[in-house]
Amino acid sequence: MSTERDHRTPSPTISEVAAAAGVGRATVARTLGGYGSVSPKTRDRILAVAKELGYRPNSIARSMTTGETRTLGVVLADVGNPFFAGVLRGISDAARKADYDVIVLSTDEDLRLEEAAIEVLVDKQVDGIALAPAAGRSADLPHLDIVAKREIPLVLLDRLVDTVEADAVVINNREASRQAVMSLIEKGHRRIAFVWGPVTNEPAADADDLRRIIDHALWSDGERLLGYLDALELAGIPFDTSLVTHVLKNESQATRAVLGMLSLSDPPTAIFATETDALTGSLRALRQRGLRCPEDVSLIGFDDSSWASVMTPPMSVVAQPMHQLGELTAECLLARVAGSDAPAATHVLEADFIERDSVAPPRTRP
């Protein structure tokens, strides 16, 4: 009989594939489901017939049979952020190579949305979850209890939480930040602004107070701020709380905060912006004040991009290995899905400081 099929008709069933291949339905199910034992010759015949008929597996039926959905859940802070977009590309590429699909949810740094996202992914019966936590480094996350109870593998992405024992993939935020700030100090800068600091109602009173605040901040934010403090301390530069922002994380808030810094009696001569919105907000503030970069104020950003190297001046940045971070996250998660019982490990990737033309020695004030 002919196996030709009109492309407009519904996908054939396992029974139809079995009839066309001349084998039993159970043999087709084992072959197409990737489980059980089937001879190579029979397997090749079934796969050829299935392809010719245009068979598409029913993922729900497959998951009921095998206990797997071949789907990974990814919970990100902001899918519109270029950093997370780059990370997601790495996760998707690695998942596709392993024949896994990816479900992506965004939390907008809102813990309630994170809780809802986890609930959705558990209900979808994903095989593993990659999570960029919206909570601070010392937070309790009871909504992850169900993940552990269901024995769903979990990998933390970009951020650590002290109370969560799981594999994690992060970058060396503290050292990368220290290197960036030291490059400003080596150019002669001593008034260096940090955008962003942790979101608080009141700014830190001193460096010790700031370290206490860091204990409750997002891990990546805290590590970058610690790197900033490390550089100041190493150079013997006193910490000035007025040079660290504590505003909500968006471009307009960054612009307003930097405008306030530029209005100080002793304004910053350099800015270290640790997020894309922080960088664009800083640039907007400089433009509103009619200041030039780097002639009037030097500037270093976080994350490289195509526009960073072609803008005027080309921007010095801390470049994170976004694709590698996402790829390794997926690989760790897939290893757990496959049954790895190795102790939980934290993988730390190196970020590179790329020096371009947005940094110059501070101008001598009259």
Side-chain angles (χ1 to χ4, degrees), residues 81-82 193-197 221 224 245 247-259 261 271-286 299-303 307 315:
N81 184 306
F194 184 94
V195 189
W196 332 87
D221 288 354
R224 293 172 192 178
T245 65
V247 296
L248 293 175
K249 293 186 172 184
N250 58 60
E251 183 183 323
S252 63
Q253 290 288 323
T255 301
R256 189 173 70 174
V258 173
L259 284 172
M261 292 176 175
I271 298 171
F272 179 40
T274 63
E275 298 281 357
T276 299
D277 282 350
L279 177 60
T280 53
S282 298
L283 286 167
R284 193 177 298 279
L286 294 180
L299 184 57
I300 292 177
F302 221 95
D303 292 333
W307 59 263
M315 187 62 53

Side-chain angles (χ1 to χ4, degrees), residues 15-357:
S15 296
E16 290 176 295
V17 175
V23 298
R25 187 179 184 281
T27 303
V28 173
R30 288 198 302 273
T31 300
L32 300 180
Y35 64 93
S37 177
V38 180
S39 71
K41 182 178 180 180
T42 300
R43 178 180 180 277
D44 290 344
R45 182 166 76 254
I46 291 171
L47 292 177
V49 169
K51 182 178 181 181
E52 190 171 356
L53 287 176
Y55 174 81
R56 291 179 60 83
N58 184 318
S59 60
I60 296 176
R62 180 179 63 190
S63 68
M64 292 176 65
T65 302
T66 66
E68 297 179 352
T69 61
R70 301 197 72 80
T71 303
L72 303 179
V74 181
V75 183
L76 301 177
D78 179 4
V79 293
N81 184 306
F83 166 73
F84 284 114
V87 170
L88 180 58
R89 178 62 182 269
I91 292 174
S92 299
D93 287 349
R96 184 169 56 250
K97 289 178 183 177
D99 194 29
Y100 273 73
D101 294 322
V102 175
I103 298 175
V104 184
L105 297 169
S106 183
T107 67
D108 294 328
E109 304 286 15
D110 187 326
L111 195 55
R112 291 170 300 178
L113 292 179
E114 178 178 305
E115 293 170 358
I118 293 296
E119 185 176 340
V120 167
L121 294 177
V122 170
D123 287 345
K124 293 289 185 182
Q125 298 183 357
V126 297
D127 296 324
I129 296 174
L131 168 67
R137 60 199 300 157
S138 61
D140 288 323
L141 301 180
H143 58 280
L144 295 184
D145 290 347
I146 189 173
V147 176
K149 184 177 181 180
R150 298 283 184 90
E151 297 184 341
I152 301 172
L154 173 71
V155 175
L156 298 182
L157 162 65
D158 183 51
R159 304 159 179 182
L160 302 179
V161 178
D162 296 339
T163 57
V164 178
E165 184 177 357
D167 291 327
V169 183
V170 298
I171 71 157
N172 60 331
N173 282 285
R174 185 168 183 170
E175 177 59 20
S177 179
R178 188 193 69 81
Q179 290 180 8
V181 177
M182 284 303 302
S183 73
L184 294 169
I185 293 172
E186 289 166 0
K187 290 288 187 181
H189 294 277
R190 295 182 64 83
R191 298 288 292 169
I192 302 169
F194 184 94
V195 189
W196 332 87
V199 179
T200 59
N201 293 326
E202 296 292 337
D206 52 34
D208 289 338
D209 189 26
L210 187 59
R211 286 188 171 90
R212 285 191 289 272
I213 292 172
I214 286 172
D215 287 340
H216 303 285
L218 289 176
W219 181 85
S220 54
D221 288 354
E223 289 293 292
R224 293 172 192 178
L225 191 45
L226 286 171
Y228 168 80
L229 294 176
D230 289 344
L232 297 184
E233 184 175 359
L234 187 63
I237 298 174
F239 168 70
D240 184 344
T241 185
S242 68
L243 295 182
V244 175
T245 65
H246 295 280
V247 296
L248 293 175
K249 293 186 172 184
N250 58 60
E251 183 183 323
S252 63
Q253 290 288 323
T255 301
R256 189 173 70 174
V258 173
L259 284 172
M261 292 176 175
L262 295 173
S263 299
L264 295 170
S265 58
D266 190 9
T269 62
I271 298 171
F272 179 40
T274 63
E275 298 281 357
T276 299
D277 282 350
L279 177 60
T280 53
S282 298
L283 286 167
R284 193 177 298 279
L286 294 180
R287 181 175 298 177
Q288 289 185 22
R289 288 293 303 272
L291 297 173
R292 299 166 300 166
C293 172
E295 293 85 353
D296 300 311
V297 179
S298 292
L299 184 57
I300 292 177
F302 221 95
D303 292 333
D304 198 17
S305 63
S306 57
W307 59 263
S309 61
V310 299
M311 64 181 296
T312 303
M315 187 62 53
S316 296
V317 295
V318 175
Q320 300 188 83
M322 297 177 285
H323 189 275
Q324 183 186 2
L325 195 153
E327 192 173 45
L328 182 55
T329 297
E331 289 171 357
C332 290
L333 195 53
L334 289 168
R336 293 297 181 184
V337 170
S340 171
D341 59 357
T346 297
H347 305 271
V348 183
L349 303 181
E350 298 293 317
D352 296 323
F353 176 59
I354 301 176
E355 188 171 1
R356 297 192 178 111
D357 300 328

